[in-house]
């Protein structure tokens, strides 16, 4: 028997629920219930399957979304410094377990993309909490004694300069069944003291299992505050983030090893640089395409002037000026083009030449055009 909010029921009634890839539906709404007692009409969740199959389209969507985000960050490289970290995860992850859920066993699913993820605010909070314990003896008030930390995290009166991003969990993604064992259920319900004769109440839930995840940080370029510069600030943020993920982990049950990362490393120079290079190549191609359109809309004289002005001092350009471009200038009889070619030859040492040389004849023809 299905239990849904009415609007959810109306929306999903005509659909094939098993082919719906969005995990929020399967984890938060498509909760199968069975009648445990036909007399009292009490219900309980059905047993959660050991592994919930994740639709391949969902994984491909997540990969595309992260690729698009990398591209957007690369496109902002003129004013944004970006760092990419990559961490391996050997254990399961319980993200958002304390959030609202019909069975109080939530797993944070992206509302749009339908994949498990670590919200950026959670990541920043983790790193900030790690810093308190590593450098402030757990005292949040001592944060203001550390200028670098206040720059990164911000304070009540200033915004932090480092931007943390959502961590998408999709590399080798599996949704696996897990449990939390409540040893004293009557004590937690306020009925009896905690005694060993109470039956353990195992609560079923779902956990995310991935092989690795990418972590992105960024900040505005040329941000200088006293002696601190962007590279120093980002270097510290990268180091603290890596240590927090390895030492503290993220999500619930981290004391049991859940959500703990291993081998977190900076892959900016190996992975993000590829995206940045690809973006620059696309920009260059687009600029060339736009210029070609612009040149095609020019008059023949304007096109000739453009090609002459694009010449450099490289040997192949000099030869081009004395061959095809020279012939076009003579054919067009354009004084503007002749003047532009003369100035180029003067700049490259091809104007003042001795009589008897082929170039002398060409110089003479350009002079004739300029009279």
């Amino acid at each position: 028997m299905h239990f849904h909010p009415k609007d959810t029921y109306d929306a999903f009634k005509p659909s094939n629920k098993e082919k719906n890839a969005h995990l929020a539906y399967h984890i938060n709404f498509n909760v199968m219930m069975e009648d445990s007692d036909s007399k009292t009409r009490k219900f309980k969740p059905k047993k959660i399957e050991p592994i919930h199959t994740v639709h391949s389209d969902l994984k491909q969507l997540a990969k595309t979304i992260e690729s698009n985000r990398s591209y957007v960050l690369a496109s902002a490289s003129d004013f944004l410094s970006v760092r990419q970290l990559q961490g391996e995860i050997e254990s399961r992850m319980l993200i958002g377990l304390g959030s609202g859920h019909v069975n109080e066993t939530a797993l944070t699913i992206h509302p749009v993309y339908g994949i498990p993820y670590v919200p950026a605010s959670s990541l920043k909070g983790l790193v900030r909490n790690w810093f308190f314990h590593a450098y402030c003896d757990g005292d949040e008030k001592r944060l203001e004694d550390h200028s670098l930390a206040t720059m990164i995290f911000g304070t009540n009166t200033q915004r932090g300069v480092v931007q943390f991003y959502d961590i998408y969990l999709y590399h080798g993604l599996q949704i696996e069944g897990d449990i939390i064992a409540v040893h004293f259920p009557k004590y937690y319900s306020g009925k009896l003291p905690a005694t060993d004769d109470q039956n353990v109440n195992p609560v079923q839930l779902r956990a995310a299992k991935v092989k690795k995840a990418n972590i992105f940080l960024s900040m505005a370029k040329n941000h200088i505050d006293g002696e601190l510069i962007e590279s120093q600030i980002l270097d510290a943020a990268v180091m603290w983030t890596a240590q927090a993920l390895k030492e503290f982990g993220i999500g619930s049950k981290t004391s049991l090893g859940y959500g703990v990362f291993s081998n977190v490393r900076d892959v900016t120079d190996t992975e993000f640089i590829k995206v940045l290079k690809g973006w620059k190549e696309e920009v260059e191609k687009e600029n060339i395409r736009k210029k070609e359109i612009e040149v095609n809309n020019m008059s023949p004289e304007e096109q000739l002037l453009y090609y002459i002005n694009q010449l450099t001092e490289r040997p192949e350009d000099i030869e081009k000026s004395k061959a095809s471009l020279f012939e076009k200038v003579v054919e067009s009889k354009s004084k503007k083009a002749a003047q532009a070619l003369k100035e180029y030859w003067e700049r490259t040492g091809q104007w003042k030449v001795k009589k008897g040389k082929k170039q002398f004849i060409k110089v003479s023809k350009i002079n004739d055009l300029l009279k």
Side-chain angles (χ1 to χ4, degrees):
M1 187 173 184
H2 288 273
F3 284 82
H4 293 336
K6 188 177 185 307
D7 57 347
T8 306
Y9 176 81
D10 293 340
F12 285 98
K13 183 180 179 180
S15 68
N16 185 327
K17 298 170 182 59
E18 298 307 317
K19 291 185 178 181
N20 180 11
H22 202 296
L23 288 177
Y25 175 75
H26 293 284
I27 293 174
N28 297 329
F29 296 109
N30 190 26
V31 181
M32 293 296 293
M33 309 288 284
E34 66 178 0
D35 191 350
S36 60
D37 191 332
S38 59
K39 294 181 179 179
T40 60
R41 299 298 296 174
K42 290 183 179 180
F43 299 90
K44 66 178 182 179
K46 269 193 172 181
K47 183 179 179 181
I48 293 177
E49 295 298 325
I51 297 179
H52 175 85
T53 303
V54 180
H55 202 290
S56 59
D57 288 351
L58 191 64
K59 294 180 181 180
Q60 183 58 45
L61 172 65
K63 183 178 180 180
T64 302
I65 293 300
E66 185 160 82
S67 176
N68 289 345
R69 178 171 65 178
S70 297
Y71 184 86
V72 170
L73 289 173
S75 68
S77 59
D78 287 342
F79 55 87
L80 206 63
S81 291
V82 179
R83 295 292 181 85
Q84 179 181 347
L85 288 77
Q86 191 174 91
E88 298 173 2
I89 313 164
E90 298 179 359
S91 61
R92 295 171 176 174
M93 300 185 74
L94 294 171
I95 307 298
L97 185 58
S99 304
H101 186 269
V102 65
N103 293 328
E104 298 181 355
T105 55
L107 179 65
T108 301
I109 304 296
H110 197 285
V112 177
Y113 307 138
I115 56 171
Y117 79 112
V118 178
S121 57
S122 298
L123 176 61
K124 183 177 180 179
L126 165 71
V127 180
R128 191 169 181 264
N129 184 49
W130 175 88
F131 182 86
F132 290 153
H133 287 81
Y135 292 95
C136 304
D137 294 328
D139 186 1
E140 185 175 349
K141 295 179 180 178
R142 292 174 55 184
L143 176 66
E144 295 185 1
D145 297 336
H146 302 269
S147 58
L148 188 56
T150 57
M151 288 287 292
I152 292 173
F153 303 120
T155 64
N156 291 332
T157 57
Q158 72 178 50
R159 181 183 299 176
V161 299
V162 174
Q163 176 70 51
F164 294 78
Y165 294 84
D166 295 342
I167 303 176
Y168 299 141
L169 306 174
Y170 69 92
H171 291 278
L173 173 63
Q174 287 185 323
I175 303 299
E176 301 181 351
D178 208 322
I179 64 167
I180 292 179
V182 182
H183 290 272
F184 309 109
K186 293 182 180 179
Y187 167 73
Y188 289 114
S189 63
K191 296 178 180 179
L192 293 173
T195 56
D196 291 335
D197 61 343
Q198 297 180 32
N199 293 327
V200 175
N201 179 25
V203 177
Q204 300 179 45
L205 49 86
R206 289 184 174 92
K209 181 71 181 295
V210 291
K211 296 178 180 178
K212 62 181 180 178
N214 292 310
I215 304 103
F216 290 89
L217 307 175
S218 71
M219 70 168 290
K221 285 188 174 181
N222 303 319
H223 191 109
I224 300 175
D225 184 81
E227 297 180 354
L228 297 176
I229 58 175
E230 69 195 51
S231 60
Q232 293 174 313
I233 297 172
L234 268 182
D235 285 345
V238 165
M239 182 185 71
W240 297 348
T241 300
Q243 290 301 111
L245 290 170
K246 289 189 293 184
E247 294 178 11
F248 278 23
I250 193 162
S252 301
K253 297 177 69 172
T254 53
S255 60
L256 298 178
Y258 284 62
V260 177
F261 283 61
S262 64
N263 192 28
V264 181
R265 53 199 175 88
D266 190 338
V267 295
T268 307
D269 293 336
T270 56
E271 298 297 326
F272 186 72
I273 196 69
K274 296 177 184 176
V275 181
L276 185 59
K277 183 179 178 181
W279 172 77
K280 289 182 177 179
E281 289 176 351
E282 287 192 24
V283 170
E284 184 64 26
K285 289 179 182 178
E286 180 62 16
N287 289 337
I288 292 173
R289 187 187 69 82
K290 289 180 179 179
K291 198 62 186 180
E292 287 176 349
I293 295 174
E294 182 183 342
V295 171
N296 289 335
N297 291 329
M298 293 179 181
S299 66
E301 184 182 52
E302 289 173 335
Q303 289 182 3
L304 193 52
L305 286 169
Y306 170 77
Y307 291 129
I308 293 173
N309 290 330
Q310 295 301 304
L311 294 172
T312 67
E313 296 184 7
R314 294 180 300 180
E316 54 266 34
D317 279 357
I318 293 175
E319 289 303 314
K320 182 179 179 181
S321 72
K322 295 191 290 185
S324 59
L325 285 179
F326 165 75
E327 292 175 359
K328 289 180 179 179
V329 170
V330 173
E331 183 181 350
S332 69
K333 298 180 181 180
S334 168
K335 288 191 175 183
K336 289 183 179 180
Q339 181 62 36
L341 187 59
K342 175 186 176 182
E343 292 174 358
Y344 174 74
W345 281 350
E346 287 177 337
R347 192 166 65 250
T348 55
Q350 305 298 316
W351 183 254
K352 294 182 178 180
V353 292
K354 295 179 180 179
K355 291 182 179 181
K357 292 185 174 291
K358 291 182 179 180
Q359 180 62 9
F360 181 82
I361 299 173
K362 294 176 181 179
V363 168
S364 299
K365 289 186 177 180
I366 295 298
N367 267 326
D368 291 341
L369 285 175
L370 293 172
K371 290 180 181 180

